[in-house]
Amino acid sequence: MARPITLFTGQWADLPFAEVARLAADWGYQGLEIACWGDHLDVARAAEDDDYVAGRREILDRHGLSVYAISNHLAGQAVCDDPIDARHRDILSGRVWGDGDPEGVRQRAADEMALTARAAARLGVDTVIGFTGSAVWKYVAMFPPASQELIDAGYRDFADRWNPILDVFDEVGVRFAHEVHPSEIAYDYYTTERTMAAIDHRPAFGLNWDPSHFVWQGLDPVMFLWDFRDRIYHVDCKDAKLRTGNGRRGVLGSHLAWADPRRGWDFVSTGHGDVPWEDCFRMLNTIDYAGPISVEWEDAGMDRLVGAPEALAFVRSLAFDPPAAAFDAAFSGAD
Amino acid sequence: MARPITLFTGQWADLPFAEVARLAADWGYQGLEIACWGDHLDVARAAEDDDYVAGRREILDRHGLSVYAISNHLAGQAVCDDPIDARHRDILSGRVWGDGDPEGVRQRAADEMALTARAAARLGVDTVIGFTGSAVWKYVAMFPPASQELIDAGYRDFADRWNPILDVFDEVGVRFAHEVHPSEIAYDYYTTERTMAAIDHRPAFGLNWDPSHFVWQGLDPVMFLWDFRDRIYHVDCKDAKLRTGNGRRGVLGSHLAWADPRRGWDFVSTGHGDVPWEDCFRMLNTIDYAGPISVEWEDAGMDRLVGAPEALAFVRSLAFDPPAAAFDAAFSGAD
Amino acid sequence: MARPITLFTGQWADLPFAEVARLAADWGYQGLEIACWGDHLDVARAAEDDDYVAGRREILDRHGLSVYAISNHLAGQAVCDDPIDARHRDILSGRVWGDGDPEGVRQRAADEMALTARAAARLGVDTVIGFTGSAVWKYVAMFPPASQELIDAGYRDFADRWNPILDVFDEVGVRFAHEVHPSEIAYDYYTTERTMAAIDHRPAFGLNWDPSHFVWQGLDPVMFLWDFRDRIYHVDCKDAKLRTGNGRRGVLGSHLAWADPRRGWDFVSTGHGDVPWEDCFRMLNTIDYAGPISVEWEDAGMDRLVGAPEALAFVRSLAFDPPAAAFDAAFSGAD
Amino acid sequence: MARPITLFTGQWADLPFAEVARLAADWGYQGLEIACWGDHLDVARAAEDDDYVAGRREILDRHGLSVYAISNHLAGQAVCDDPIDARHRDILSGRVWGDGDPEGVRQRAADEMALTARAAARLGVDTVIGFTGSAVWKYVAMFPPASQELIDAGYRDFADRWNPILDVFDEVGVRFAHEVHPSEIAYDYYTTERTMAAIDHRPAFGLNWDPSHFVWQGLDPVMFLWDFRDRIYHVDCKDAKLRTGNGRRGVLGSHLAWADPRRGWDFVSTGHGDVPWEDCFRMLNTIDYAGPISVEWEDAGMDRLVGAPEALAFVRSLAFDPPAAAFDAAFSGAD
Amino acid sequence: MARPITLFTGQWADLPFAEVARLAADWGYQGLEIACWGDHLDVARAAEDDDYVAGRREILDRHGLSVYAISNHLAGQAVCDDPIDARHRDILSGRVWGDGDPEGVRQRAADEMALTARAAARLGVDTVIGFTGSAVWKYVAMFPPASQELIDAGYRDFADRWNPILDVFDEVGVRFAHEVHPSEIAYDYYTTERTMAAIDHRPAFGLNWDPSHFVWQGLDPVMFLWDFRDRIYHVDCKDAKLRTGNGRRGVLGSHLAWADPRRGWDFVSTGHGDVPWEDCFRMLNTIDYAGPISVEWEDAGMDRLVGAPEALAFVRSLAFDPPAAAFDAAFSGAD
Amino acid sequence: MARPITLFTGQWADLPFAEVARLAADWGYQGLEIACWGDHLDVARAAEDDDYVAGRREILDRHGLSVYAISNHLAGQAVCDDPIDARHRDILSGRVWGDGDPEGVRQRAADEMALTARAAARLGVDTVIGFTGSAVWKYVAMFPPASQELIDAGYRDFADRWNPILDVFDEVGVRFAHEVHPSEIAYDYYTTERTMAAIDHRPAFGLNWDPSHFVWQGLDPVMFLWDFRDRIYHVDCKDAKLRTGNGRRGVLGSHLAWADPRRGWDFVSTGHGDVPWEDCFRMLNTIDYAGPISVEWEDAGMDRLVGAPEALAFVRSLAFDPPAAAFDAAFSGAD
């Protein structure tokens, strides 16, 4: 099988990187999608310090693991967000948060994303995954009325802040893969179209396809792959379960914590939710996606040490290769 | 029929109040739910000026219309909202917006809601409908992670800001009917429960049941009436149509304008959407709701002059009275 | 239109027959399906007393009403039921109930059904509608285990008790139309098959097709018409609404009273429920059903004086005639 | 209302044209979509004989009817069909059928379609509706295996036969509107795309949107309008009802006659089927479709004299105009 | 894993207890839910005879099996049932059936249930599972009309008969866990509420959650766990498959035997039906249910020797433990 | 387990028979359903040449494989087909195709099917699987209008051509099992009924039940087994996945190649599609089907060397035996 199965380390960043590498390798993962937080990857050091990079590589090599992509959702989130508040403080490094002045945070976050591109390049990786943030997400209810001019301004703000970052990506030969996700500038089908248009479809900006939020938004993750097939730069296997249906649980989740039984949907271990995984993997074959299949494991109702190896087995069973030849050759009627 | 059918004037505030009254009466509406914007009702004047109130009454009387409730969604919205921005400026009166300093706006909005209670009392009306705003709506995606402490603080903020307003409502014998709605502190089933708990279920705070946003959130508007039956203070008939289902239109609406065919749902004229109206009206009978049935007409794809009378006919055909006696009396076997 | 629309008087038996006739005629009904209780029709008198029959006829004639069928559900119910208890006492005439000894009640009920056939004949009507009762309905949960021998005995009991009654029907040239209904020997598709088999498919025993109980049992009333097309002797238009779906309301109804909002289904005015009426009427055309379409009006949430005329208009709008010729004749390519 | 509602005369061609005109006008239709068969319109005469055209016009004028399009499905069908057989003989004029030699029939049918364009031009109409026929429809089951080369050849055959016809259309300033339909070269979404590509998307070839066959193929007629919005040249309101669901009725219809209750779907009077008409008409507003709304009435279970006026009333009730202005203007907060 | 998986011996009572223990242990079950019939457990002896109890214990110990609950559905059924008939005779011991006089049977059954509590206590077990029977189940069709007074009397009868039994349970420190089930006093959501109310919610009476009958009644077994979370005393994993859907199979089952293909639903091996097991087990985690998960194996279409070990593997794979900590801790942004 | 699981060799005919036998045996298949094309089985030789038959047998014996049926879909297809064209040429042997004159091809195909019966007999096999072809399949769209006379003629053509073939089957004691399939005379429920009637239900003609085409036609493969239970002569496990639902993919497949993501349905490896396999296998138990379960493996998106053994494991897990005795025996209450 050409496509390696990797583990995203983002939900394991409370553990040392070396420990996560050991666990992943023991379970049989072939590589890691390394999160740029916890002690997993310091992009500032990686962008400049060859020894640091060599050290990360050594840990991977020791466990026979590859790396195809690094992820910096948390810094990316702050590039366009408005407001910037305590939630960001809790997830950003001191280097980016600084004094917490919103515009300063945004600019330092943009610098951090440029650094992340450089870190990727130095690590020999051509893809950085992340979020963009959004100045207009907060208008999602469209009340008080948010004019299309106001929304347009949000997309311009995104383009103005990300184009310079993407210039650095182009400079170092790395691509950014945005994860389509509520709270981001692109969170569904049509906002993805609008986002692409805002930056003139420049190839530096593509997508990290993660179908979990498609489930509760009523979106089809399979045809999304087909329609955006030239921009699928990375694949994250996170799953979600829709639990509306009894008339009390709402699709917006009621601001309730994960695993609260009153939520209308929740993240679940890959294969336990509503994502039509087999159809997704078949479509990845169809569009000739050749990158890694990365497990983003998140399930507030299951022990991750049980779930992560189970998810690997699940993905392996369905992410099969396409056949070499068409089958109806066998019907030809030669004597 | 005991329950009058009224027209909410909020979507008609670009027309003079007298003109709206004439139209509504001509179509056969029995009363108005008067919006506190446009020239329809100036709460500052109504709270203090008997002549002004008499003038409004005169317009109603001239057309044989009653009034059971007044509505001040726009000022209510600003009481708790954070951020306060251009969207609020566009919908607030100069009196409330002032210099636009957020906290000042919030406090002036709170004063306006207290005034609205006084205006209602002077007008002889016992119900004020409106929105609450919310300091935590913007966290609805729950990423960046919003802790339950942060959410709790939002509900405390609501209670802190609204309890003094509700004290004025109690003082003048008027009830507040919050409209459960995205962007508000209570927007679904469980946030309504949490909202009620935040103010200790005080009777001054009840609900304006408007089922339109239930449709796309996957909520059952019928059982909502049953479960919150002691707090249903007013009924607004606004309808919505869910249009997800082709995998591209998402339930969040993609920040697209009303009537854009790519939205996952839209408002439609009462009776043209997915609200199970007959079951709703039957449940209103069951819980002995005795207030007005008010048509909140909103449909970006239909002419309102066509839609409003059609909606009245629709509501009339289904909001029938319950029977006086149980039918199986007829089976009794007396000779 | 050849097929008359009639009103079943069973749910109006608390009113004098003459009053029901007046109401029905005023609303535009073309005839009555007369219930054999209240003062509507006394089968003992009708079977023997020509003057009584003439009197009934006179009331009908005065209002321009026809009669095609009479109904005696209540006596029929007692023919096979076990146990016989207070519920029967409440719906039976004193003549049938007598001292209430179960076997005596059953035999007097059987005599009453034979009398009903004679009454029908004297009234010039060829169809008697009714229930059969059942000795085995109470085993419907199949726990404690009810062996197929026990069930078979129930069907034999039905045949033993009804064959002599049906002999009288044959004698006087009248057919019995059983209404498929829970608590009866035939309440769904396969119990109808078994019932027919139990009496060797004798033509004296056919069906009163009433689709209301099909709705919540998950049965298709349209194909039922097709499969039993040679035994559809009468049609009753009663409607029902399924209200399970929120996970709390169960299909069995929780022993709750009609109109209780916690029931999983309820009777509703014809056209307000889940019966696919148009498809049903089209199938009646297809099978060349030529009898009356009778409205059995039952809705604990609506005033019957409002509902009965509305139901008539509803049935009229959908019970249209089939065309005289196939439409694609129009495509023939003659010059 | 700008958009006229017309009646397609194809299913009425057994009646004289003058009689159909009288009926349609009496019911309130505003115009006719005239079929080129029966005595309704002889394209050979209309293409050359001014008096004949004046005579047709006179009949229309007498009844106050307009004409916006003429239809020649039957001749169009024979242009590409293979095999040509008795079915074609039954629907073609002697002029086109001739000696029935297949290739001769196809060429005479092509000539007839060119004549139809000329007839339209002379009649002052800019749209001809019709079918294309197909050399590959018979391979729809894809067994015995039909290679993509074979299918491609079918689309080339279509282009080769229709491009010369379309040249005549261009010459006389008339457009062809193909009705997407099984047995044609374009019968669903992707075959429509392929068809458009086969003739290089030339504007002379557009679509007559008829949603009836979308229903049972699982296609969304609403988004089809959006995606092909620059090629929607005409609208035919034919409805269909899907009746699979009991496991015995299949979607292919079992080669059974219309109205047979065992068919998996059937045509029904406009508004009685599964087409989401309101959403369709709203989308026609959205894409600024300005042509006629034509009722193609076909229902083997209903009398057409009852159905045609009912369909007109149905279409009128839902094909409402869009509003002149956005409604949330009413929320602006000016004092 | 803290929660043991046990096998209910009720469907194996044709085998000697020692044999069932051996089989269960060989398959890997951790304990037994012992049925009080066959030779599995004689409550009369167990309540009084220490040697007998020691003998049972010895068999369990020999196989390394625990016991957490004993079950006496059959005697419990007779406590309230009316009528008492041959079905009861077939499942009751001679000691309880005696001369078969109904009231005598009911009282001896009540004594037996009290004995069962004593047997449980002596065996060191704190839970007795069972049925209650019902005087009103037979009225489930609500025709002939059963007044709410009649239904109320049935619940009072239940309370009158069970309160004295529950007093014995309290005396010996054992809880009764009623299995919600058709033919019992509590068979769905609202009858469970009514049952609890009838005995003033006394803690001695709780529930054995068995979701199999929820499936075909349209009930949600998951939210039932949440709503009755303080009364979930035991869990039985029995599964059922709904097979209505073709319009002929009805939800009531047509009095047909298990495995008859015409039934509308049937019992199937755990994991082969429609119970959403994973959501159920997750909810058991959420409500901190700490008792055994017992497999009640029943499938008339599968060999039990094949099914029982397969069911154990199925349950094990989904009844996973919840995690120790929330996962988004990993996002904290510490340097 | 009495019922062997076999592999159909039709989709493997590009490999030598001996190689397919080796593969199948290695994977654990118990036998082969041998295709009469490629080098797998030459019916002309097998019908006459004992050595050839012994050679085939030897290959099977070497691998411990049985044979219960042979399949000749390709020759059968040509018996009734019209038109006969390049598609047939590509799948027929030179012996049958000859000069390609359609009627000659049909007659040689008929001879080939008679030979196939003789080959089967000589091989000791009592079932031949195949297709019939159809003169009327091409009329499936029913436009141009195909009269019932025309359709009837197609069924007579089938009877006329197949009755002589079936006479040979009867002569040698072999049964023909037609595979219900689009492009054949019987492709759904009602065409199967009509086909059976056309040949007077003669026992020589039965069915090869292959549910794959039931999926997208909306047919229930389970009840089909029940209704045609006396004619189920063989079982082929081919699976299909319905992928309509986004409004663009149509159920007819758009003449697109297998595995094209725009098709509305596709074949998939057994167990990966929408066939309700467990219910199917249970029904096979119910109707006492005792023949082989044959895997017809076809999936253009999966490598067959991966899929075929996986399919075997899947079928094995669900095609379990029924139990020997009814389970509620265990409830009998003997002391």
PDB file of all heavy atoms in Angstrom, chain F residues 1 5 27-30 281 309-321:
ATOM      1  N   MET F   1     -21.652 -27.037   8.615  1.00  0.00           N
ATOM      2  CA  MET F   1     -22.555 -26.284   7.739  1.00  0.00           C
ATOM      3  C   MET F   1     -22.801 -27.026   6.430  1.00  0.00           C
ATOM      4  O   MET F   1     -21.869 -27.340   5.704  1.00  0.00           O
ATOM      5  CB  MET F   1     -21.919 -24.920   7.438  1.00  0.00           C
ATOM      6  CG  MET F   1     -22.919 -23.908   6.919  1.00  0.00           C
ATOM      7  SD  MET F   1     -22.076 -22.383   6.467  1.00  0.00           S
ATOM      8  CE  MET F   1     -21.097 -22.067   7.938  1.00  0.00           C
ATOM      9  N   ILE F   5     -19.829 -22.892   0.302  1.00  0.00           N
ATOM     10  CA  ILE F   5     -19.616 -21.563  -0.268  1.00  0.00           C
ATOM     11  C   ILE F   5     -18.681 -21.720  -1.460  1.00  0.00           C
ATOM     12  O   ILE F   5     -17.573 -22.256  -1.332  1.00  0.00           O
ATOM     13  CB  ILE F   5     -19.029 -20.595   0.774  1.00  0.00           C
ATOM     14  CG1 ILE F   5     -19.972 -20.545   1.991  1.00  0.00           C
ATOM     15  CG2 ILE F   5     -18.859 -19.206   0.169  1.00  0.00           C
ATOM     16  CD1 ILE F   5     -19.516 -19.617   3.102  1.00  0.00           C
ATOM     17  N   TRP F  27      -7.914 -19.903  -0.673  1.00  0.00           N
ATOM     18  CA  TRP F  27      -8.671 -18.979   0.180  1.00  0.00           C
ATOM     19  C   TRP F  27      -9.683 -19.706   1.070  1.00  0.00           C
ATOM     20  O   TRP F  27     -10.193 -19.130   2.010  1.00  0.00           O
ATOM     21  CB  TRP F  27      -9.411 -17.964  -0.694  1.00  0.00           C
ATOM     22  CG  TRP F  27      -8.505 -16.984  -1.390  1.00  0.00           C
ATOM     23  CD1 TRP F  27      -7.367 -16.435  -0.899  1.00  0.00           C
ATOM     24  CD2 TRP F  27      -8.672 -16.443  -2.714  1.00  0.00           C
ATOM     25  NE1 TRP F  27      -6.813 -15.585  -1.821  1.00  0.00           N
ATOM     26  CE2 TRP F  27      -7.590 -15.562  -2.945  1.00  0.00           C
ATOM     27  CE3 TRP F  27      -9.613 -16.609  -3.719  1.00  0.00           C
ATOM     28  CZ2 TRP F  27      -7.431 -14.852  -4.135  1.00  0.00           C
ATOM     29  CZ3 TRP F  27      -9.466 -15.901  -4.893  1.00  0.00           C
ATOM     30  CH2 TRP F  27      -8.377 -15.036  -5.106  1.00  0.00           C
ATOM     31  N   GLY F  28      -9.994 -20.939   0.737  1.00  0.00           N
ATOM     32  CA  GLY F  28     -10.936 -21.684   1.568  1.00  0.00           C
ATOM     33  C   GLY F  28     -12.293 -21.920   0.945  1.00  0.00           C
ATOM     34  O   GLY F  28     -13.203 -22.446   1.613  1.00  0.00           O
ATOM     35  N   TYR F  29     -12.477 -21.497  -0.295  1.00  0.00           N
ATOM     36  CA  TYR F  29     -13.761 -21.798  -0.941  1.00  0.00           C
ATOM     37  C   TYR F  29     -13.924 -23.313  -1.051  1.00  0.00           C
ATOM     38  O   TYR F  29     -12.951 -24.043  -1.231  1.00  0.00           O
ATOM     39  CB  TYR F  29     -13.830 -21.155  -2.328  1.00  0.00           C
ATOM     40  CG  TYR F  29     -14.120 -19.678  -2.281  1.00  0.00           C
ATOM     41  CD1 TYR F  29     -13.082 -18.741  -2.299  1.00  0.00           C
ATOM     42  CD2 TYR F  29     -15.431 -19.206  -2.207  1.00  0.00           C
ATOM     43  CE1 TYR F  29     -13.339 -17.369  -2.242  1.00  0.00           C
ATOM     44  CE2 TYR F  29     -15.702 -17.844  -2.161  1.00  0.00           C
ATOM     45  CZ  TYR F  29     -14.657 -16.938  -2.174  1.00  0.00           C
ATOM     46  OH  TYR F  29     -14.923 -15.591  -2.111  1.00  0.00           O
ATOM     47  N   GLN F  30     -15.195 -23.759  -0.997  1.00  0.00           N
ATOM     48  CA  GLN F  30     -15.449 -25.193  -1.020  1.00  0.00           C
ATOM     49  C   GLN F  30     -15.772 -25.720  -2.406  1.00  0.00           C
ATOM     50  O   GLN F  30     -15.854 -26.920  -2.609  1.00  0.00           O
ATOM     51  CB  GLN F  30     -16.597 -25.517  -0.059  1.00  0.00           C
ATOM     52  CG  GLN F  30     -16.210 -25.235   1.398  1.00  0.00           C
ATOM     53  CD  GLN F  30     -17.427 -25.048   2.275  1.00  0.00           C
ATOM     54  OE1 GLN F  30     -18.051 -23.998   2.257  1.00  0.00           O
ATOM     55  NE2 GLN F  30     -17.755 -26.073   3.034  1.00  0.00           N
ATOM     56  N   PHE F 281     -29.702 -14.308   4.209  1.00  0.00           N
ATOM     57  CA  PHE F 281     -29.276 -15.664   4.588  1.00  0.00           C
ATOM     58  C   PHE F 281     -30.282 -16.302   5.550  1.00  0.00           C
ATOM     59  O   PHE F 281     -30.547 -17.497   5.491  1.00  0.00           O
ATOM     60  CB  PHE F 281     -27.874 -15.632   5.205  1.00  0.00           C
ATOM     61  CG  PHE F 281     -26.789 -15.265   4.225  1.00  0.00           C
ATOM     62  CD1 PHE F 281     -25.791 -14.351   4.567  1.00  0.00           C
ATOM     63  CD2 PHE F 281     -26.745 -15.830   2.956  1.00  0.00           C
ATOM     64  CE1 PHE F 281     -24.779 -14.012   3.661  1.00  0.00           C
ATOM     65  CE2 PHE F 281     -25.744 -15.497   2.039  1.00  0.00           C
ATOM     66  CZ  PHE F 281     -24.766 -14.588   2.396  1.00  0.00           C
ATOM     67  N   PRO F 309     -11.037 -13.301  -0.932  1.00  0.00           N
ATOM     68  CA  PRO F 309     -10.991 -13.979   0.381  1.00  0.00           C
ATOM     69  C   PRO F 309     -11.768 -13.221   1.454  1.00  0.00           C
ATOM     70  O   PRO F 309     -12.377 -13.836   2.330  1.00  0.00           O
ATOM     71  CB  PRO F 309      -9.489 -14.038   0.699  1.00  0.00           C
ATOM     72  CG  PRO F 309      -8.828 -13.051  -0.219  1.00  0.00           C
ATOM     73  CD  PRO F 309      -9.702 -12.907  -1.411  1.00  0.00           C
ATOM     74  N   GLU F 310     -11.765 -11.884   1.378  1.00  0.00           N
ATOM     75  CA  GLU F 310     -12.536 -11.114   2.356  1.00  0.00           C
ATOM     76  C   GLU F 310     -14.017 -11.429   2.233  1.00  0.00           C
ATOM     77  O   GLU F 310     -14.734 -11.563   3.227  1.00  0.00           O
ATOM     78  CB  GLU F 310     -12.264  -9.617   2.136  1.00  0.00           C
ATOM     79  CG  GLU F 310     -12.748  -8.744   3.270  1.00  0.00           C
ATOM     80  CD  GLU F 310     -13.132  -7.350   2.799  1.00  0.00           C
ATOM     81  OE1 GLU F 310     -14.225  -7.206   2.200  1.00  0.00           O
ATOM     82  OE2 GLU F 310     -12.365  -6.414   3.034  1.00  0.00           O
ATOM     83  N   ALA F 311     -14.488 -11.548   0.994  1.00  0.00           N
ATOM     84  CA  ALA F 311     -15.904 -11.852   0.775  1.00  0.00           C
ATOM     85  C   ALA F 311     -16.264 -13.224   1.347  1.00  0.00           C
ATOM     86  O   ALA F 311     -17.341 -13.420   1.919  1.00  0.00           O
ATOM     87  CB  ALA F 311     -16.231 -11.803  -0.718  1.00  0.00           C
ATOM     88  N   LEU F 312     -15.369 -14.160   1.197  1.00  0.00           N
ATOM     89  CA  LEU F 312     -15.621 -15.491   1.756  1.00  0.00           C
ATOM     90  C   LEU F 312     -15.804 -15.414   3.271  1.00  0.00           C
ATOM     91  O   LEU F 312     -16.750 -15.985   3.835  1.00  0.00           O
ATOM     92  CB  LEU F 312     -14.447 -16.427   1.411  1.00  0.00           C
ATOM     93  CG  LEU F 312     -14.487 -17.806   2.059  1.00  0.00           C
ATOM     94  CD1 LEU F 312     -15.720 -18.594   1.622  1.00  0.00           C
ATOM     95  CD2 LEU F 312     -13.209 -18.588   1.726  1.00  0.00           C
ATOM     96  N   ALA F 313     -14.908 -14.688   3.918  1.00  0.00           N
ATOM     97  CA  ALA F 313     -15.012 -14.547   5.376  1.00  0.00           C
ATOM     98  C   ALA F 313     -16.313 -13.868   5.756  1.00  0.00           C
ATOM     99  O   ALA F 313     -16.980 -14.246   6.727  1.00  0.00           O
ATOM    100  CB  ALA F 313     -13.812 -13.759   5.904  1.00  0.00           C
ATOM    101  N   PHE F 314     -16.686 -12.855   4.982  1.00  0.00           N
ATOM    102  CA  PHE F 314     -17.927 -12.146   5.264  1.00  0.00           C
ATOM    103  C   PHE F 314     -19.129 -13.085   5.167  1.00  0.00           C
ATOM    104  O   PHE F 314     -19.968 -13.134   6.070  1.00  0.00           O
ATOM    105  CB  PHE F 314     -18.076 -10.971   4.292  1.00  0.00           C
ATOM    106  CG  PHE F 314     -19.389 -10.263   4.425  1.00  0.00           C
ATOM    107  CD1 PHE F 314     -19.578  -9.323   5.426  1.00  0.00           C
ATOM    108  CD2 PHE F 314     -20.456 -10.557   3.582  1.00  0.00           C
ATOM    109  CE1 PHE F 314     -20.803  -8.679   5.572  1.00  0.00           C
ATOM    110  CE2 PHE F 314     -21.686  -9.920   3.728  1.00  0.00           C
ATOM    111  CZ  PHE F 314     -21.854  -8.981   4.723  1.00  0.00           C
ATOM    112  N   VAL F 315     -19.208 -13.812   4.077  1.00  0.00           N
ATOM    113  CA  VAL F 315     -20.347 -14.712   3.889  1.00  0.00           C
ATOM    114  C   VAL F 315     -20.389 -15.762   4.987  1.00  0.00           C
ATOM    115  O   VAL F 315     -21.440 -16.052   5.563  1.00  0.00           O
ATOM    116  CB  VAL F 315     -20.296 -15.367   2.489  1.00  0.00           C
ATOM    117  CG1 VAL F 315     -21.339 -16.474   2.360  1.00  0.00           C
ATOM    118  CG2 VAL F 315     -20.526 -14.308   1.411  1.00  0.00           C
ATOM    119  N   ARG F 316     -19.228 -16.294   5.317  1.00  0.00           N
ATOM    120  CA  ARG F 316     -19.174 -17.313   6.372  1.00  0.00           C
ATOM    121  C   ARG F 316     -19.725 -16.807   7.691  1.00  0.00           C
ATOM    122  O   ARG F 316     -20.381 -17.534   8.437  1.00  0.00           O
ATOM    123  CB  ARG F 316     -17.716 -17.738   6.591  1.00  0.00           C
ATOM    124  CG  ARG F 316     -17.412 -19.078   6.032  1.00  0.00           C
ATOM    125  CD  ARG F 316     -16.098 -19.615   6.559  1.00  0.00           C
ATOM    126  NE  ARG F 316     -15.584 -20.598   5.617  1.00  0.00           N
ATOM    127  CZ  ARG F 316     -14.340 -20.661   5.200  1.00  0.00           C
ATOM    128  NH1 ARG F 316     -13.436 -19.777   5.638  1.00  0.00           N
ATOM    129  NH2 ARG F 316     -13.979 -21.587   4.356  1.00  0.00           N
ATOM    130  N   SER F 317     -19.448 -15.535   7.996  1.00  0.00           N
ATOM    131  CA  SER F 317     -19.849 -15.009   9.305  1.00  0.00           C
ATOM    132  C   SER F 317     -21.363 -14.839   9.421  1.00  0.00           C
ATOM    133  O   SER F 317     -21.891 -14.804  10.527  1.00  0.00           O
ATOM    134  CB  SER F 317     -19.155 -13.671   9.555  1.00  0.00           C
ATOM    135  OG  SER F 317     -19.725 -12.655   8.734  1.00  0.00           O
ATOM    136  N   LEU F 318     -22.048 -14.726   8.281  1.00  0.00           N
ATOM    137  CA  LEU F 318     -23.490 -14.460   8.354  1.00  0.00           C
ATOM    138  C   LEU F 318     -24.369 -15.605   7.863  1.00  0.00           C
ATOM    139  O   LEU F 318     -25.551 -15.667   8.200  1.00  0.00           O
ATOM    140  CB  LEU F 318     -23.832 -13.200   7.558  1.00  0.00           C
ATOM    141  CG  LEU F 318     -23.295 -11.903   8.149  1.00  0.00           C
ATOM    142  CD1 LEU F 318     -23.705 -10.730   7.278  1.00  0.00           C
ATOM    143  CD2 LEU F 318     -23.823 -11.694   9.569  1.00  0.00           C
ATOM    144  N   ALA F 319     -23.806 -16.478   7.085  1.00  0.00           N
ATOM    145  CA  ALA F 319     -24.627 -17.576   6.553  1.00  0.00           C
ATOM    146  C   ALA F 319     -24.655 -18.724   7.551  1.00  0.00           C
ATOM    147  O   ALA F 319     -24.303 -19.850   7.238  1.00  0.00           O
ATOM    148  CB  ALA F 319     -24.094 -18.017   5.193  1.00  0.00           C
ATOM    149  N   PHE F 320     -25.119 -18.389   8.756  1.00  0.00           N
ATOM    150  CA  PHE F 320     -25.105 -19.403   9.822  1.00  0.00           C
ATOM    151  C   PHE F 320     -26.328 -20.301   9.723  1.00  0.00           C
ATOM    152  O   PHE F 320     -27.336 -19.965   9.105  1.00  0.00           O
ATOM    153  CB  PHE F 320     -25.033 -18.732  11.195  1.00  0.00           C
ATOM    154  CG  PHE F 320     -25.910 -17.539  11.359  1.00  0.00           C
ATOM    155  CD1 PHE F 320     -27.284 -17.682  11.507  1.00  0.00           C
ATOM    156  CD2 PHE F 320     -25.376 -16.254  11.366  1.00  0.00           C
ATOM    157  CE1 PHE F 320     -28.100 -16.586  11.667  1.00  0.00           C
ATOM    158  CE2 PHE F 320     -26.185 -15.140  11.517  1.00  0.00           C
ATOM    159  CZ  PHE F 320     -27.548 -15.309  11.674  1.00  0.00           C
ATOM    160  N   ASP F 321     -26.191 -21.451  10.365  1.00  0.00           N
ATOM    161  CA  ASP F 321     -27.288 -22.416  10.361  1.00  0.00           C
ATOM    162  C   ASP F 321     -28.412 -21.983  11.290  1.00  0.00           C
ATOM    163  O   ASP F 321     -28.174 -21.286  12.277  1.00  0.00           O
ATOM    164  CB  ASP F 321     -26.777 -23.781  10.841  1.00  0.00           C
ATOM    165  CG  ASP F 321     -25.951 -24.451   9.762  1.00  0.00           C
ATOM    166  OD1 ASP F 321     -26.118 -24.114   8.584  1.00  0.00           O
ATOM    167  OD2 ASP F 321     -25.121 -25.305  10.118  1.00  0.00           O
TER     168      ASP F 321
END
